[in-house]
Amino acid sequence: MNSKREYNYRIEPRDVDFMKRATLMSLADYILHAAGEDADRNGFGVRDLNVHNASWVLTRMALETRRMPQEYETIRVTTWVSDVSRAMTTRNFEVFDREGEPVAFAVTNWAMIDLSERRLLDLHTLPSYGSMVQDYHVQIDLPRRLATPVAERECEHRVAYSDLDFNCHANSVRYIQWALDALPIEFLERRRFARTDINFLQETRHGELLHIAWAGVEHCSFEIRNSRQAPVCRLAFETVGNAGKERKEQEESL
Amino acid sequence: MNSKREYNYRIEPRDVDFMKRATLMSLADYILHAAGEDADRNGFGVRDLNVHNASWVLTRMALETRRMPQEYETIRVTTWVSDVSRAMTTRNFEVFDREGEPVAFAVTNWAMIDLSERRLLDLHTLPSYGSMVQDYHVQIDLPRRLATPVAERECEHRVAYSDLDFNCHANSVRYIQWALDALPIEFLERRRFARTDINFLQETRHGELLHIAWAGVEHCSFEIRNSRQAPVCRLAFETVGNAGKERKEQEESL
């Protein structure tokens, strides 16, 4: 069975930043949206799992970008399941532009949990999930296990209504947002985020005061802690320059 | 010329809140998106205006909801220009569900500005814009002029990278988000936002510390001020209950 399916999206005005390029958040959101659509299509979506009081939990993500798509560009996301063990499944992604040139790649790790007891469920109990696994290769390294960074700076964020997803926890994409919002705007303007690794460690709820600790712009690694100082998420970015220059060249070639 | 066109959208997982209903922000966003698409289609879009170093600025908005659409519902937004004077044009919206039942109505006021000097431009200089005006009636009152509320509470927000739109100012929809995020979650759960009036008074830029002052949940009116204590936006909400109950009934009838 060929399960490497395609999902098409358009970069809308609300997806872009002040440089009219897709934000890392919107790119991650479209990738996770494709995962949701593909799981739905194969009978393993959140709604299917919810019937059995279960759900998917994203545990790690690696996202590499070759360039950031611009406003009104269409992107094609292909996705497939590449691995499954008892505790974890891996889903890969490729993102192409209209010319078929690669824009981004991603690898995600997911666990299945019981919603009442919040404990891991055995993925081998999902009937015929194993037949989803495809032997395609993805061109990037697997998501890395991140260590606590030596934090030099810190800011705070209280989890708000607008951060919550349908599970009543902060949406996965918000963690990327909080990290980027902590960085100087000049840095965001000058650099492209070539690789992002994220470890999701704990869920966060409405009203929790989070501490966003990070190691300065040279070492672009973050740890987000809850009010008990327990880490809830770690992020590490590898950046390249010069995004502004690259953008200008892209615009001139369009 | 019939210029009352239709735009279809689907309420995606990222558009819903923890009750799996579209947020007021995503509903406003789809409405403004339809405005953008319709203006583009008629040759008066932001990109068309940008060629002449001009742009649209949203000055007021009124948004009434009959119910909040649920996740995966499709909505149909119709929009048309109902009025134009030298300084301001009015664009109306109706939002319907799949059964053709009204979900929401909106009225927006827009000015056209020169991007270098930030001054108002005469809308009568836009060739053939007058022919866009349609004599359709919209079923809600025009956006109200809001006064400064007697503020009992206050919180702060520093305008971040993720708040910025392509104009490098905070996105219009963020003002709604900041107001709702200030409200108690139990209030958001119990009430539907039946009518929202917004007055946009000044643009805000990255790094500005905003003061979100409001008059308590009985008088759901807000004033957002910049660091010089100048008002940048006023919002007033009229709410009805019981949103949770209404949602449950909707789900049962689906």
Side-chain angles (χ1 to χ4, degrees):
Chain A
M1 191 173 80
N2 187 328
S3 296
K4 191 178 173 184
R5 294 233 179 76
E6 293 185 5
Y7 300 91
N8 293 286
Y9 304 104
R10 196 176 79 145
I11 306 300
E12 303 293 349
R14 67 168 174 173
D15 298 321
V16 302
D17 63 15
F18 69 98
M19 295 173 280
K20 293 195 189 179
R21 298 178 314 179
T23 62
L24 209 51
M25 291 78 89
S26 58
L27 194 57
D29 203 84
Y30 282 123
I31 284 168
L32 296 177
H33 194 276
E37 289 209 82
D38 199 60
D40 275 344
R41 202 159 160 177
N42 288 292
F44 303 108
V46 167
R47 284 175 289 182
D48 302 299
L49 266 57
N50 280 177
V51 173
H52 306 287
N53 200 36
S55 194
W56 291 115
V57 170
L58 179 63
T59 57
R60 288 190 193 175
M61 184 170 191
L63 171 58
E64 290 199 8
T65 64
R66 296 291 178 264
R67 67 177 182 88
M68 296 309 279
Q70 290 180 273
E71 192 175 31
Y72 302 118
E73 266 200 78
T74 51
I75 55 170
R76 178 166 54 91
V77 181
T78 66
T79 180
W80 68 99
V81 175
S82 67
D83 195 21
V84 61
S85 67
R86 285 191 175 278
M88 190 173 73
T89 181
T90 303
R91 182 181 271 283
N92 297 337
F93 306 83
E94 294 167 336
V95 183
F96 300 97
D97 63 17
R98 209 170 44 185
E99 282 73 40
E101 290 297 315
V103 166
F105 301 94
V107 181
T108 54
N109 296 144
W110 303 79
M112 182 171 67
I113 61 156
D114 178 280
L115 281 172
S116 311
E117 304 173 27
R118 317 299 299 179
R119 67 177 169 82
L120 288 183
L121 295 171
D122 183 347
L123 285 162
H124 291 163
T125 63
L126 266 181
S128 73
Y129 187 82
S131 71
M132 297 277 294
V133 176
Q134 300 296 309
D135 195 22
Y136 296 115
H137 181 67
V138 70
Q139 295 181 33
I140 65 167
D141 288 344
L142 296 179
R144 288 168 197 150
R145 185 172 182 213
L146 303 174
T148 299
V150 182
E152 292 177 6
R153 299 169 195 211
E154 196 176 294
C155 57
E156 290 181 344
H157 177 78
R158 195 173 291 279
V159 180
Y161 164 71
S162 63
D163 295 323
L164 302 180
D165 64 16
F166 58 87
N167 277 322
C168 221
H169 299 117
N171 182 318
S172 306
V173 171
R174 293 290 176 156
Y175 296 89
I176 305 176
Q177 180 187 313
W178 298 330
L180 295 196
D181 279 347
L183 290 167
I185 194 94
E186 300 75 21
F187 182 80
L188 293 159
E189 196 170 6
R190 277 202 323 270
R191 310 293 291 178
R192 175 165 57 82
F193 289 74
R195 181 176 170 98
T196 302
D197 282 276
I198 318 177
N199 294 178
F200 297 98
L201 306 169
Q202 266 194 54
E203 295 161 324
T204 56
R205 292 172 177 282
H206 183 264
E208 279 197 77
L209 184 65
L210 302 180
H211 302 270
I212 298 147
W214 57 294
V217 289
E218 314 78 47
H219 313 283
C220 223
S221 49
F222 289 77
E223 184 170 86
I224 302 179
R225 299 171 192 144
N226 64 20
S227 54
R228 296 176 301 283
Q229 289 297 317
V232 296
C233 182
R234 295 193 185 107
L235 304 98
F237 301 103
E238 290 169 20
T239 70
V240 293
N242 180 324
K245 191 158 166 281
E246 175 195 58
R247 177 175 61 103
K248 198 142 183 297
E249 284 163 4
Q250 271 176 35
E251 277 171 356
E252 282 164 6
S253 75
L254 283 178
Chain B
M1 188 173 83
N2 188 328
S3 299
K4 191 179 174 185
R5 294 233 179 76
E6 296 184 4
Y7 300 91
N8 293 285
Y9 305 104
R10 194 175 81 147
I11 305 300
E12 303 293 349
R14 68 168 174 174
D15 298 321
V16 303
D17 63 14
F18 68 100
M19 296 173 281
K20 293 194 188 179
R21 297 178 315 180
T23 61
L24 209 51
M25 290 79 86
S26 58
L27 194 57
D29 203 84
Y30 282 123
I31 284 167
L32 295 177
H33 194 276
E37 289 208 83
D38 199 59
D40 275 342
R41 203 157 158 178
N42 288 292
F44 303 108
V46 168
R47 284 175 291 182
D48 302 300
L49 266 57
N50 279 178
V51 173
H52 306 287
N53 200 35
S55 193
W56 290 114
V57 171
L58 179 62
T59 57
R60 286 190 194 177
M61 184 170 193
L63 171 58
E64 290 199 9
T65 64
R66 296 292 177 263
R67 67 177 183 88
M68 295 309 278
Q70 291 180 272
E71 192 177 30
Y72 302 118
E73 266 199 79
T74 52
I75 56 170
R76 179 166 54 91
V77 181
T78 66
T79 180
W80 68 99
V81 175
S82 69
D83 195 21
V84 60
S85 67
R86 284 192 176 276
M88 191 173 72
T89 179
T90 303
R91 182 181 272 283
N92 297 338
F93 306 83
E94 295 167 334
V95 184
F96 301 97
D97 63 17
R98 209 169 45 185
E99 283 72 42
E101 290 298 315
V103 167
F105 301 95
V107 182
T108 53
N109 296 146
W110 303 79
M112 182 171 67
I113 61 156
D114 177 279
L115 282 171
S116 312
E117 303 173 29
R118 317 300 298 178
R119 67 178 171 80
L120 289 182
L121 295 171
D122 183 347
L123 285 162
H124 290 163
T125 63
L126 266 181
S128 74
Y129 187 83
S131 71
M132 297 277 295
V133 175
Q134 300 295 308
D135 196 20
Y136 296 115
H137 182 66
V138 70
Q139 296 182 31
I140 65 168
D141 287 346
L142 296 179
R144 287 167 197 150
R145 183 170 182 214
L146 303 174
T148 298
V150 182
E152 293 176 5
R153 301 168 197 212
E154 195 176 297
C155 56
E156 290 181 344
H157 175 80
R158 194 173 289 279
V159 179
Y161 163 70
S162 63
D163 295 323
L164 303 180
D165 63 16
F166 58 86
N167 277 323
C168 222
H169 299 116
N171 182 318
S172 306
V173 170
R174 293 290 176 154
Y175 296 90
I176 306 176
Q177 179 187 313
W178 299 331
L180 295 196
D181 279 346
L183 291 166
I185 194 94
E186 300 75 21
F187 183 80
L188 292 159
E189 195 169 8
R190 279 202 324 270
R191 311 292 291 178
R192 175 164 58 81
F193 289 74
R195 183 177 168 97
T196 303
D197 282 276
I198 318 177
N199 295 179
F200 297 97
L201 306 169
Q202 266 194 55
E203 295 161 325
T204 56
R205 293 173 178 280
H206 183 265
E208 278 197 77
L209 184 65
L210 302 180
H211 303 269
I212 298 146
W214 57 293
V217 289
E218 315 79 47
H219 313 283
C220 224
S221 49
F222 290 75
E223 184 170 87
I224 302 180
R225 299 171 192 143
N226 64 19
S227 54
R228 295 175 302 282
Q229 289 296 318
V232 296
C233 182
R234 295 192 186 107
L235 304 99
F237 301 103
E238 291 169 20
T239 71
V240 295
N242 183 325
K245 191 158 166 280
E246 174 196 60
R247 177 175 61 103
K248 196 143 183 298
E249 284 163 4
Q250 271 178 33
E251 278 171 356
E252 282 163 8
S253 75
L254 283 180

